[in-house]
C-alpha cells in the first residue's frame, strides 16, 4: 500500500514517528511537510495517487 | 458503500470525541483511537464515550490510564490503521 | 478525485487555499468542512471568494462557531451553516480527506 503523510507539525512527536516507522516496514511511505513544501500541485497529485493519506 | 473511518483523538479531546460521535451520521463504520493520554473526565467527554459505546463505535487507546477503553500498543494501532479508508488525526 | 478538507485549525489558511486551487486546476472537486478553530477562517476574504468557485462546496459546524464566538452573520450564502452531519457526509462521499 502507498501511504502519504502530510505533516502539519514542524517536528512530529514520538507517536507519529513510531507509526510512520511501523508503516514503512510493509508499505511505501511518502512524507510531505506542509510547512516546507508549498508545491500544492505536487501535493494534490500525491494525495490522488496514494492509497491512504494521513495528516498529522 | 460503507466506509471505514478512523479518528485519532490527540490534544483536543473534546472536539475530537464530538466528531467521533457525529461521524456515524453517514452510516459509516467509525473507530476512535484515544492517543497518548487519559481522557479528561468532563461531562461532554463522558457522554460522547457513552454514546459511542451505545452505538457500537469501537474505541481503542495506547494509554493504559483509560481503563474503560481497550488497550493496544502504538505499534498495534499503527497496524490497525491500515484497515481504514479515512484516517483522521485530530 | 473528490477531495475533502477538514479544516479544524486556523494555522494553515494559505495551504487550504493553495491545495484547493491546485486540486481544482487539475479537474478535482473539493469539499471543505470547517470546525473548531477552523471556523475562525470563515471570515477571511480568500475563503469567501473560494466558496462560490465551481467545484467547491464549503460548510461549517455552527456549534463550533458559536462556541468560539465566530461571527457568521454576513457570510456568503454558499458557505453552508451546518453540523457534524456535513462532516460525516464529506467523509463518506470524498475519495480522500486531509486535515489542516
Amino acid at each position: 500500500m502507498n501511504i502519504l503523510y502530510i505533516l502539519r507539525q514542524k517536528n512530529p512527536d514520538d507517536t507519529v514517528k513510531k507509526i510512520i516507522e511501523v508503516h514503512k516496514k510493509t508499505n511505501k511511505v511518502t512524507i510531505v511537510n506542509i510547512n516546507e513544501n508549498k508545491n500544492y500541485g505536487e501535493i494534490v497529485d500525491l494525495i490522488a495517487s496514494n492509497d491512504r493519506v494521513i495528516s498529522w | 458503500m460503507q466506509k471505514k473511518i478512523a479518528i485519532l483523538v490527540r490534544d483536543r479531546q473534546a472536539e475530537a470525541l464530538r466528531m467521533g460521535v457525529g461521524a456515524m451520521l453517514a452510516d459509516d463504520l467509525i473507530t476512535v483511537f484515544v492517543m497518548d493520554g487519559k481522557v479528561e473526565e468532563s461531562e461532554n467527554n463522558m457522554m460522547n464515550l457513552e454514546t459511542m459505546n451505545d452505538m457500537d463505535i469501537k474505541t481503542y487507546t495506547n494509554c493504559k490510564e483509560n481503563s474503560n477503553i481497550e488497550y493496544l500498543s502504538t505499534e498495534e494501532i499503527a497496524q490497525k490503521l491500515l484497515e481504514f479508508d479515512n484516517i483522521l488525526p485530530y | 478525485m473528490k477531495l475533502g478538507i477538514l479544516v479544524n485549525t486556523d494555522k494553515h489558511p494559505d495551504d487550504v487555499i493553495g491545495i484547493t486551487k491546485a486540486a481544482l486546476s487539475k479537474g478535482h472537486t473539493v469539499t471543505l468542512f470547517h470546525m473548531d478553530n477552523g471556523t475562525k477562517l470563515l471570515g477571511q476574504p480568500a475563503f469567501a471568494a473560494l466558496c462560490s468557485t465551481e467545484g467547491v462546496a464549503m460548510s461549517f459546524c455552527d456549534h463550533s462557531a458559536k462556541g468560539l464566538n465566530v461571527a457568521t452573520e454576513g457570510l456568503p450564502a454558499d458557505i453552508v451553516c451546518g453540523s457534524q452531519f456535513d462532516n460525516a457526509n464529506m467523509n463518506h462521499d470524498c475519495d480522500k480527506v486531509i486535515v489542516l
Side-chain angles (χ1 to χ4, degrees), chain B residues 13-25:
Chain B
Q13 294 178 338
E15 282 292 88
L17 290 170
R18 187 170 71 87
M19 186 174 89
V21 172
M24 69 184 179
L25 294 171

Side-chain angles (χ1 to χ4, degrees), chain B residues 1-3 5 12 15 18-19 22-26 28 86-90, chain C residues 6 8-9 35-37 61 63-64 84-85 87-89 91-92 94 97 99:
Chain B
M1 190 182 75
Q2 191 177 49
K3 288 176 82 171
I5 296 171
R12 290 176 288 165
E15 282 292 88
R18 187 170 71 87
M19 186 174 89
M24 69 184 179
L25 294 171
D28 287 320
N86 294 359
I87 302 159
L88 306 173
Y90 200 107
Chain C
L6 171 61
N8 66 2
T9 76
M35 67 175 287
D36 203 344
N37 284 326
C61 176
H63 179 87
S64 289
Q84 289 299 316
F85 183 56
N87 190 20
N89 284 332
N91 270 291
H92 183 82
C94 288
V97 177
V99 187

Side-chain angles (χ1 to χ4, degrees), chain B residues 12 15 20 29 34-35 41 45 49 70 86 89:
Chain B
R12 290 176 288 165
E15 282 292 88
L29 187 64
V34 177
M35 305 299 293
E41 292 181 2
N45 286 351
L49 283 172
E70 184 176 340
N86 294 359

Side-chain angles (χ1 to χ4, degrees), chain A residues 1 3 8-9 13-16 18-20 22-23 25-27 51-56, chain B residues 8 10 12 35-36 62 74-75 77-90:
Chain A
M1 188 184 295
I3 305 174
R8 295 176 287 169
Q9 311 163 319
D13 60 38
D14 288 345
T15 296
V16 175
K18 173 62 72 181
I19 290 174
I20 291 174
V22 171
H23 286 175
K25 287 179 185 169
T26 53
N27 302 275
D51 302 302
R52 299 287 184 274
V53 182
I54 311 179
S55 317
W56 290 106
Chain B
L8 286 87
R10 305 178 78 211
R12 290 176 288 165
M35 305 299 293
D36 299 332
N62 66 346
T74 303
E75 290 85 349
I77 287 174
Q79 285 295 345
K80 202 160 190 60
L81 289 179
L82 299 172
E83 301 169 7
F84 292 87
D85 300 303
N86 294 359
I87 302 159
L88 306 173
Y90 200 107

